[in-house]
Amino acid sequence: MSQLRLAIIASHGGSNMQAILDAAKLGRLNAVPAVVISNNSDSLSLARARSEGIPACHFSSRTHSEPDDLDVAILQALNVHGVEVVVLAGYMKKLGLKTLRHFSGRVLNIHPALLPKYGGPGMYGRHVHEAVLSAGEKVTGVTIHLVEAEYDSGPIVAQCEVPVHADDTPESLAERVLQREHEFYVETLRKISEGKIILPGLIGKQQ
Ligand code: GRF
């Protein structure tokens, strides 16, 4: 199967993005990072993309004050770079409906818990891990899901469990889950690139 052309969209440092770029570079993932997009012009994700010669685009309400124009700009960039799968990696904004429709069934997000538990509005960052600990869960995990218009709502593509330790703080749990995210995003993308996981939006679209 040919190399999967990925867009990575991240708001901040993008440690998941870094893990995916490293895996692609080292040949552990048969994928090409075709473009990196961020809503944050100062983000480490754009800096890293530029330093590696990967096309890097800043699109936000500062570059496009109309949400519809922003949506179209993102969609155009994805198309110009021949993107097959869109990978959200800590993107703190919503994608527009035109982009979601065009890439329906091939936009992935990663969430630091076992959805449908601990997802939805307000469930991001340490809030997720605080809620997991308050509920007395013994196990949490990582979910990779397809993105639909509502937060954390699309069909689940893959999940893995991460143990919760009795003495965990939100920080220690967040760290353990994040480490697992890095491996699990790469593993899941590898399975997609090998056709072992079939994304509904990718059928008949691989170059
Ligand atoms: C991760 O915990 C991910 O699950 C969530 O946002 C965080 C992004 O972390 N969607 P990073 O920017 O990849 O380090």
Side-chain angles (χ1 to χ4, degrees), residues 40 66 74 97 138 146:
N40 177 357
E66 288 296 324
I74 291 176
L97 287 180
K138 300 282 180 287
L146 291 172

Side-chain angles (χ1 to χ4, degrees), residues 32-184:
V32 184
V35 62
V36 170
I37 296 174
S38 181
N39 59 308
N40 177 357
S41 60
D42 298 329
S43 65
L44 275 178
S45 46
L46 289 183
R48 162 111 196 230
R50 287 192 189 105
S51 77
E52 299 213 2
I54 299 166
C57 304
H58 168 227
F59 293 127
S60 70
S61 55
R62 275 169 52 204
T63 61
H64 297 80
S65 55
E66 288 296 324
D68 205 46
D69 294 344
L70 178 59
D71 188 7
V72 170
I74 291 176
L75 178 56
Q76 279 175 352
L78 298 175
N79 283 330
V80 162
H81 293 287
V83 168
E84 293 164 305
V85 174
V86 179
V87 177
L88 303 188
Y91 184 52
M92 305 306 284
K93 303 283 178 187
K94 278 187 172 178
L95 285 176
L97 287 180
K98 288 195 173 77
T99 301
L100 285 179
R101 261 187 227 122
H102 187 89
F103 283 89
S104 171
R106 49 196 181 121
V107 181
L108 297 172
N109 184 42
I110 190 161
H111 185 78
L114 294 173
L115 290 175
K117 285 160 104 176
Y118 311 109
M123 278 293 167
Y124 60 89
R126 73 176 275 137
H127 303 293
V128 175
H129 306 294
E130 279 170 356
V132 166
L133 291 176
S134 306
E137 300 282 5
K138 300 282 180 287
V139 173
T140 182
V142 177
T143 302
I144 294 173
H145 64 95
L146 291 172
V147 175
E148 294 186 341
E150 294 311 313
Y151 279 122
D152 305 330
S153 68
I156 291 170
V157 171
Q159 276 185 320
C160 68
E161 292 187 346
V162 175
V164 177
H165 297 168
D167 59 352
D168 264 330
T169 61
E171 291 73 24
S172 65
L173 184 56
E175 179 57 30
R176 188 175 315 114
V177 172
L178 189 62
Q179 289 307 318
R180 189 68 187 102
E181 285 183 43
H182 298 161
E183 303 158 356
F184 196 57

